[in-house]
Structure formats: structure tokens, C-alpha cells
């Protein structure tokens, strides 16, 4: 039996109000929607478990206290871990203050409670004045939340796409940018320029984004830090912890307690 992260009877575009939300509780196994799009913008927030999204040509991960923002008419798929509890918030694309591109949004405790509360209100009652006022506050809070980037861009350039696919398959591959350049018969400068041009990051930062995504997933799966360090090709646990703390401001153990 297949499990999908969506309610086939729910059509977000059928609702006229500014925002509509629903919550899905954990399935028995990992589940995923097929690629799709809709007129309303979507915010996906995990209350528990783990969520990854493929949005256009990037893979996004949703860590604790964050949500991913999916703009209107943007093709995406959503994969959730088993027994996850996930809120989906759909917002009218006419609200222009919200991001026009996919982005990770930090979620404050207040915003988290507002979104969760909306999920528990019957859709037929979500146009009542009390709910309308709640939605107005929710949107005001959403607009002022800081944004972050936890995505791994997949370039369109054929050689870079192959590198991305190889890194996804073998994240412990520690070849330098020079070694990758030699493998694909180009200079180190050319490869560095292409990566910067395609994904807006240096090669090192691009690969670091992938390691963060995979680390989040493995931590959510309760994998020991030693094994994560090995899987990602770090020389030692301490080297991995140093990398993680530099990027996230906390150790993997402390991050794990927040999820």
C-alpha cells in the first residue's frame, strides 16, 4: 500500500479566504506527494518528524522551528518521514508582502501556535470574523519572520548536474574543486565560476549545504553522530561537530533535542 502526503479531497484553490490550513498526522511509513502546483502559496511546517521538499531544481530540508515557503504556481513534491505531524498553510498569492521565491522561514512560538490553531478550525468556519482576525495576525507575523536557506540547488548545466548527482549518491566524496575540474576536463577557475554562476555559491558552500541537509535527515532518523560523520566523509566526529556548530550555532546533540 502506498501512502501520500496529501488529502485527495482537499483543494486549497477552492477556498476564497486569505488562508486555509490543515494538518496531517503520521502515516505508517515515509510518504510523498507527486510533483504538483497550485495557485495558492504554501507553507509546510513539521511539528514532529522530518520533511524534505523538491522545489523546482532544488532539494530543501525543514529543520526544527522552520517552515518552507512555496510560491504560487511552483512545481514541488513533499516527502515526510513516518509518523510525522505536518501543518500545511495555503495563502492567497495576492498578498504581495510575502516572498516571491522558495525560501525557508523561521517560525516563532507565536506563529507556530497561530498556524496550529488554524489547522484545528473547520474549513467551513474559517470565514468567521474571529478566524479572519486570527489569519490577519498570522500573516502579519509571517511577513516579519527571518528567512534562511537550507537547500541544495541542482544546476541545469550538464557537468554540474552530474557532480550534484554524484554528491547526492556519495556524500563522503571529498574530492577538491580542482580534482572535480580535472575529472570533467576543465580548469579549476572555470568550474568555480560555473558553480557560482549556476547556484550563487562557492563550491565549498554548495557541498556544505548538501551535508547540512543530509545531517538534518540522519539526526531525525536518530542516527548516531559518529555514523553521520563517517557517512559524510569527515575525518573525525569532532570535525563534523565543528562544521555543524559553525553552520547552525549549536552542536548536533543540542539540535537533536530541539526536533
Amino acid at each position: 500500500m502506498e501512502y501520500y502526503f496529501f488529502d485527495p479531497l482537499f483543494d486549497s484553490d477552492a477556498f476564497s479566504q486569505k488562508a486555509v490550513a490543515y494538518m496531517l498526522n503520521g502515516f505508517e511509513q515515509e510518504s510523498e506527494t507527486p510533483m504538483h502546483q497550485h495557485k495558492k502559496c504554501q507553507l509546510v511546517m513539521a511539528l514532529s518528524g522530518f520533511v524534505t521538499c523538491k522545489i523546482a531544481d532544488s532539494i530543501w530540508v525543514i529543520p526544527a522551528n522552520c517552515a518552507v515557503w512555496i510560491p504560487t504556481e511552483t512545481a514541488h513534491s513533499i516527502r515526510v518521514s513516518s509518523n510525522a505531524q505536518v501543518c500545511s498553510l495555503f495563502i492567497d498569492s495576492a498578498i504581495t508582502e510575502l516572498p516571491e521565491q522558495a525560501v525557508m522561514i523561521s517560525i516563532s512560538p507565536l506563529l507556530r501556535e497561530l498556524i496550529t490553531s488554524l489547522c484545528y478550525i473547520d474549513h467551513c468556519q474559517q470565514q468567521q470574523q474571529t478566524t479572519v482576525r486570527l489569519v490577519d495576525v498570522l500573516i502579519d507575523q509571517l511577513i516579519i519572520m527571518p528567512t534562511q536557506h537550507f537547500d541544495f540547488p541542482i544546476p541545469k548545466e550538464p557537468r554540474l548536474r552530474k557532480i550534484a548527482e554524484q554528491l547526492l549518491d556519495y556524500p563522503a566524496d571529498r574530492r577538491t574543486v580542482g580534482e572535480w575540474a580535472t575529472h570533467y576536463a576543465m580548469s579549476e577557475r572555470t568550474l568555480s565560476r560555473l558553480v557560482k554562476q549556476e547556484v550563487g555559491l562557492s563550491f565549498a558552500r554548495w557541498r556544505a549545504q548538501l551535508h547540512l541537509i543530509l545531517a538534518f535527515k540522519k539526526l531525525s532518523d536518530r542516527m548516531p553522530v559518529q555514523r553521520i560523520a563517517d557517512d559524510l566523509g569527515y575525518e573525525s566526529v569532532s570535525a563534523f561537530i565543528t562544521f555543524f556548530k559553525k553552520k547552525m550555532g549549536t552542536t548536533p546533540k543540542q539540535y537533536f533535542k530541539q526536533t
Side-chain angles (χ1 to χ4, degrees):
M1 181 177 182
E2 292 184 298
Y3 294 84
Y4 296 100
F5 170 68
F6 73 104
D7 180 346
L9 301 178
F10 181 85
D11 179 8
S12 63
D13 293 335
F15 296 90
S16 60
Q17 57 261 44
K18 287 183 184 178
V20 61
Y22 75 90
M23 183 184 297
L24 285 179
N25 292 306
F27 296 117
E28 296 175 7
Q29 63 188 48
E30 190 173 84
S31 55
E32 183 176 13
T33 61
M35 291 294 288
H36 67 287
Q37 61 188 50
H38 30 72
K39 291 181 180 179
K40 279 190 169 63
C41 304
Q42 184 176 3
L43 187 80
V44 181
M45 179 181 75
L47 298 176
S48 63
F50 186 81
V51 181
T52 55
C53 297
K54 184 174 183 182
I55 306 173
D57 286 319
S58 290
I59 297 170
W60 294 74
V61 62
I62 306 177
N65 303 316
C66 289
V68 69
W69 174 258
I70 305 169
T72 178
E73 303 288 4
T74 300
H76 60 282
S77 64
I78 302 171
R79 179 182 291 272
V80 301
S81 61
S82 60
N83 300 315
Q85 187 178 35
V86 182
C87 294
S88 269
L89 174 69
F90 297 89
I91 297 181
D92 192 332
S93 60
I95 300 173
T96 57
E97 296 91 338
L98 291 165
E100 296 181 358
Q101 298 180 333
V103 71
M104 196 72 66
I105 297 179
S106 295
I107 301 296
S108 67
L110 172 58
L111 184 54
R112 178 188 176 102
E113 291 306 314
L114 288 169
I115 295 171
T116 304
S117 297
L118 189 60
C119 287
Y120 285 112
I121 298 174
D122 186 275
H123 297 139
C124 296
Q125 299 177 359
Q126 289 192 10
Q127 296 197 54
Q128 294 181 356
Q129 283 303 309
T130 53
T131 305
V132 170
R133 289 194 292 270
L134 182 150
V135 166
D136 285 341
V137 174
L138 188 160
I139 292 173
D140 285 344
Q141 289 295 307
L142 188 57
I143 289 170
I144 64 173
M145 288 295 106
T147 59
Q148 304 180 52
H149 280 275
F150 292 123
D151 64 310
F152 180 63
I154 308 297
K156 291 184 173 63
E157 203 280 333
R159 291 165 296 182
L160 297 191
R161 181 173 285 271
K162 287 181 180 178
I163 292 174
E165 290 169 351
Q166 288 177 277
L167 289 173
L168 283 164
D169 289 339
Y170 304 102
D173 190 327
R174 306 299 292 186
R175 274 181 283 182
T176 66
V177 63
E179 289 170 331
W180 281 109
T182 299
H183 182 78
Y184 284 98
M186 66 177 99
S187 69
E188 182 174 338
R189 176 177 290 184
T190 297
L191 176 56
S192 297
R193 178 179 53 79
L194 281 174
V195 173
K196 185 71 174 180
Q197 179 179 304
E198 287 272 327
V199 303
L201 300 169
S202 68
F203 185 88
R205 288 187 63 192
W206 182 45
R207 179 160 55 188
Q209 288 286 87
L210 174 62
H211 284 187
L212 273 180
I213 288 174
L214 296 177
F216 291 144
K217 175 66 168 64
K218 293 172 186 294
L219 287 168
S220 177
D221 289 341
R222 307 306 193 252
M223 186 178 290
V225 175
Q226 172 70 65
R227 184 176 167 189
I228 296 174
D230 292 341
D231 286 354
L232 297 181
Y234 287 84
E235 295 180 356
S236 65
V237 175
S238 61
F240 169 68
I241 292 174
T242 298
F243 158 78
F244 193 93
K245 189 172 183 179
K246 181 178 179 181
K247 296 295 183 181
M248 298 302 300
T250 185
T251 66
K253 185 177 181 179
Q254 290 168 335
Y255 172 82
F256 176 78
K257 291 179 180 178
Q258 299 171 12
T259 60

